[in-house]
Amino acid sequence: MARTFQVGDTFTHVRECDRYRPIYYAGASGDFNPIHIDPEVGQAAGLGGVILQGLCTLGWAVEAVGIFVGDPGRIRRVKVRFSRPVRLEDTVTFQGRVTVLEGHRLVTEVTATNQRGEAVLKGAVVEASIG
Amino acid sequence: MAIDKRFIGREYGPYTYTIGAEKMREFALALGGAHPAAGTPGEAPAHVSPLLHDAQAAKDGPYGDLIAFPSFAVVFAIRPFGSAVADPELGINLLMLVHGEQELEFLDVMRPGDVMTTTGRIAEIFEKAGMEFVVVTSESRNQRGDVVVKGTWTAVIRG
């Protein structure tokens, strides 16, 4: 790869949870838990409406790092804690920073915050191979 | 009601899944922000890698074929976790369940036609801060027997 990376490099990726995204993601992933597609069930579960699948948010964090390293096939590991639901029409900003570079192994820490500045993921780490 | 720790070690699977090109593409585009319509998964937004959806670009690329978006693996690798939390013997109230944590390791890329076999087991059951945690680990191998995806799936059951 022509591109070089350094510890401390940063990157940003912004995604919007548009109105039908949880339904599209349900269709693609098979996760049809009604809290993601039925507002009444979301209300009854105390969530105030439908929420996006956490694994979609995880995917967006992976996407952020895949774009940063230039190839989604280079992602080797992702680890996240789901700290707050993503709701319809939320905008999630992913900010990443390279924390470790050892040979071909690149480790990033990624934060994910909604438009109110609240973290929707905690302790997110995404690793890639840049060899 | 506490979940009985004797279920630690209980195994689920094997479950077999054949990866199809259109399903991979559909996943990458739905995650990537496309708007599907009848007959099409939608236009790929500019940030979505062509290696995930453009057959010609993928053929000319580093893998020689389309590859799956890494977390496409959840489509099949979630199966042992889903089976464990719905296992009637564990008696989990699914309405109180939230997905707390997730880890995925990707040891290789996934291509159309790969046949993935997933097994999993309950690795941990514990209580913390008045909530119960069930941790399931999974391992998915391709048709050559190589481990391609490892997962650690953590459910939190609100008290």
Side-chain angles (χ1 to χ4, degrees), chain B residues 11-156:
Chain B
E11 295 180 353
Y12 298 89
Y15 304 104
T16 300
Y17 181 92
T18 302
I19 296 179
E22 297 302 341
K23 189 69 195 172
M24 280 170 38
R25 184 184 277 120
E26 178 194 359
F27 184 93
L29 294 177
L31 183 99
H35 294 271
T40 169
E43 281 287 310
H47 70 261
V48 178
S49 169
L51 302 178
L52 303 170
H53 65 87
D54 180 334
Q56 191 56 53
K59 200 152 271 175
D60 298 339
Y63 307 105
D65 202 344
L66 286 173
I67 57 168
F69 186 83
S71 72
F72 173 79
V74 304
V75 169
F76 53 86
I78 199 170
R79 191 81 184 274
F81 179 64
S83 297
V85 298
D87 186 332
E89 286 194 69
L90 268 66
I92 294 172
N93 177 356
L94 292 178
L95 288 176
M96 300 304 278
L97 181 145
V98 292
H99 193 168
E101 296 180 31
Q102 182 65 47
E103 180 170 5
L104 293 166
E105 267 185 87
F106 310 104
L107 289 83
D108 201 353
V109 295
M110 295 166 277
R111 297 177 174 85
D114 282 353
V115 180
M116 308 301 298
T117 301
T118 300
T119 55
R121 63 187 286 275
I122 297 178
E124 292 178 68
I125 296 173
F126 62 93
E127 286 181 44
K128 199 168 85 181
M131 297 187 290
E132 293 198 276
F133 291 71
V134 176
V135 181
V136 173
T137 54
S138 68
E139 193 173 84
S140 303
R141 292 175 185 265
N142 64 16
Q143 63 276 20
R144 292 176 293 278
D146 301 326
V147 178
V148 175
V149 185
K150 290 186 192 178
T152 304
W153 312 71
T154 303
V156 182

Side-chain angles (χ1 to χ4, degrees), chain A:
Chain A
M1 234 181 185
R3 165 137 196 217
T4 58
F5 297 93
Q6 294 194 336
V7 170
D9 283 355
T10 59
F11 54 93
T12 300
H13 184 53
V14 179
R15 292 301 309 272
E16 189 202 346
C17 178
D18 55 287
R19 207 163 172 76
Y20 296 120
R21 196 56 43 191
I23 295 173
Y24 297 150
Y25 184 81
S29 69
D31 183 353
F32 285 97
N33 185 326
I35 61 172
H36 303 307
I37 56 177
D38 185 335
E40 285 180 27
V41 174
Q43 289 287 353
L47 299 167
V50 302
I51 63 170
L52 183 66
Q53 291 86 347
L55 288 172
C56 185
T57 314
L58 173 148
W60 288 350
V62 167
E63 188 177 59
V65 181
I67 292 166
F68 176 62
V69 300
D71 174 356
R74 292 179 172 276
I75 301 295
R76 290 291 170 268
R77 189 172 85 95
V78 55
K79 183 176 185 178
V80 305
R81 272 198 346 261
F82 302 107
S83 54
R84 183 181 294 272
V86 172
R87 299 173 192 288
L88 301 185
E89 285 157 3
D90 275 0
T91 298
V92 183
T93 300
F94 297 86
Q95 289 184 299
R97 191 171 68 87
V98 177
T99 55
V100 177
L101 204 51
E102 286 171 349
H104 292 158
R105 179 169 167 261
L106 177 146
V107 183
T108 67
E109 288 179 6
V110 180
T111 61
T113 51
N114 63 23
Q115 66 279 15
R116 289 175 296 280
E118 300 160 332
V120 298
L121 297 178
K122 284 216 168 130
V125 174
V126 183
E127 289 188 27
S129 168
I130 53 168

